[in-house]
Amino acid sequence: MKVLIVGGKGQLGRGLAATAPADAEIVCHDIDTLDITDKAAVESVVADVKPGLVLNAAAYTAVDKSETDEDAAFAVNATAVGILADAARGAGARFVHVSTDFVFDGASGSPYKPDAPTNPLGVYGRTKLAGEKLAGPDALIVRTAWVYAPTGGNFVRTMLRLMGEKPEVRVVADQIGTPTYAPGLARALWMLAKQGLTGIHHFTDAGAASWYDFAVAIQEEGLAAGLLHKAVPVIPITTAEFPTPAPRPSYSVLDKQSTFAALGQPAPHWRANLRLMIEEIRANG
Ligand SMILES: NC(=O)c1ccc[n+]([C@@H]2O[C@H](COP(=O)([O-])OP(=O)(O)OC[C@H]3O[C@@H](n4cnc5c(N)ncnc54)[C@H](OP(=O)(O)O)[C@@H]3O)[C@@H](O)[C@H]2O)c1
């Protein structure tokens, strides 16, 4: 089957290409070859490729910047999702879209189920929620969280760099979520798409952590793999001590039970996937 992947150079896009099933003939685009906000360009590529499946890994992911760049964030995270969904539907293709834990406000003390009430705190979450609606009821929408990969801008790579440069690092300890390894998410998307699932589903790695817990684990794994040579103090701080333009949910653990049942297995614990990624960075120099 022909599969069109947009956002192909992002963390998830690369993961999707790397984990594509043998029978998938993939065509990858990113903004340099297909701007998904350009309706005519999307329609032309879809008409040309004739995909059976369209995977949207493209997004405006600069959470803080989106607070002052709402129109651009909305264009990519919402309007363009409708453009892609319409084009896929017109071609008779299934459409898979990815959303975020930031559609929730964090007030819950227990994991959010897919049908839990949404209440995004910032522009990024609001634009992603609008995108979910524009994807339409026939799309597969998978919400995920705290995505990282060996390439791209992410918390793991930032921490490894800071821990090699700074005498100490200060990390927020009062925001709880779940780190998610992009290639694992990609594999799950391929499997869920194959089942023809529609509607909203949740997928992250298993377990939960604060950013502080995540940073401590990154240092431990980095030292064990020889990527870091000296331990530096990791200092837990509060969100109030590290204000950001975009407010973030203090708790955004997603309930994945139904997704794990559909996949026939749970995702690995986030710590196991972190070790895998650190090992991959070490192996590739
Ligand atoms: N990263 C996270 O922690 C996280 C958490 C929850 C959910 N998600 C969701 O997971 C999905 C994948 O995220 P990711 O981390 O893989 O994001 P990413 O690494 O930022 O990749 C997104 C890709 O989309 C491209 N893009 C941006 N605007 C575009 C446009 N107009 N047309 C075509 N491509 C465009 C980006 O190009 P440029 O780099 O040139 O802009 C980038 O290559 C997204 O839906 C995101 O909202 C991510």
Side-chain angles (χ1 to χ4, degrees):
M1 178 181 45
K2 287 194 97 173
V3 182
L4 174 62
I5 299 174
V6 295
K9 289 184 180 168
Q11 301 191 90
L12 176 60
R14 288 178 194 274
L16 285 167
T19 60
D23 62 349
E25 190 188 329
I26 62 170
V27 177
C28 277
H29 283 279
D30 206 285
I31 190 161
D32 49 349
T33 53
L34 176 61
D35 180 344
I36 59 166
T37 65
D38 182 339
K39 188 167 185 279
V42 168
E43 286 169 354
S44 159
V45 166
V46 169
D48 187 39
V49 174
K50 298 184 183 56
L53 174 65
V54 176
L55 297 172
N56 180 21
Y60 186 111
T61 52
V63 173
D64 288 320
K65 198 170 161 221
S66 67
E67 292 295 315
T68 50
D69 200 14
E70 181 158 2
D71 289 352
F74 194 89
V76 181
N77 291 342
T79 311
V81 179
I83 292 173
L84 287 166
D86 287 347
R89 202 174 294 118
R94 275 177 286 142
F95 180 54
V96 176
H97 177 60
V98 180
S99 191
T100 174
D101 55 334
F102 280 24
V103 298
F104 297 115
D105 61 15
S108 170
S110 57
Y112 285 96
K113 290 190 187 300
D115 61 356
T118 52
N119 183 29
L121 298 177
V123 168
Y124 170 74
R126 281 204 296 278
T127 60
K128 293 294 292 185
L129 184 60
E132 290 182 0
K133 296 187 191 335
L134 289 167
D138 50 347
L140 166 62
I141 299 166
V142 178
R143 294 191 187 125
T144 189
W146 298 23
V147 177
Y148 66 93
T151 58
N154 59 62
F155 186 77
V156 180
R157 282 163 48 91
T158 301
M159 279 298 125
L160 288 172
R161 179 174 53 77
L162 292 177
M163 286 164 175
E165 289 172 5
K166 304 278 184 194
E168 65 175 36
V169 293
R170 298 160 66 78
V171 187
V172 169
D174 57 0
Q175 289 171 27
I176 311 292
T178 309
T180 302
Y181 187 43
L185 168 63
R187 266 189 214 96
L189 289 178
W190 283 115
M191 289 172 72
L192 296 171
K194 191 172 180 186
Q195 293 179 18
L197 230 57
T198 58
I200 296 177
H201 302 268
H202 286 172
F203 181 90
T204 66
D205 286 348
S210 69
W211 290 109
Y212 165 75
D213 296 325
F214 194 18
V216 168
I218 291 164
Q219 174 153 261
E220 286 176 8
E221 297 297 341
L223 287 166
L227 293 183
L228 296 171
H229 304 296
K230 177 171 73 70
V232 297
V234 182
I235 317 284
I237 61 169
T238 63
T239 299
E241 290 175 273
F242 187 70
T244 52
R248 284 153 166 84
S250 57
Y251 181 92
S252 64
V253 178
L254 301 178
D255 184 318
K256 284 89 58 181
Q257 282 185 31
S258 56
T259 315
F260 290 172
L263 291 168
Q265 58 184 12
H269 190 269
W270 66 264
R271 179 77 190 238
N273 270 345
L274 172 64
R275 193 168 303 142
L276 209 65
M277 140 106 165
I278 297 268
E279 179 51 36
E280 198 175 327
I281 294 180
R282 191 199 60 75
N284 293 329

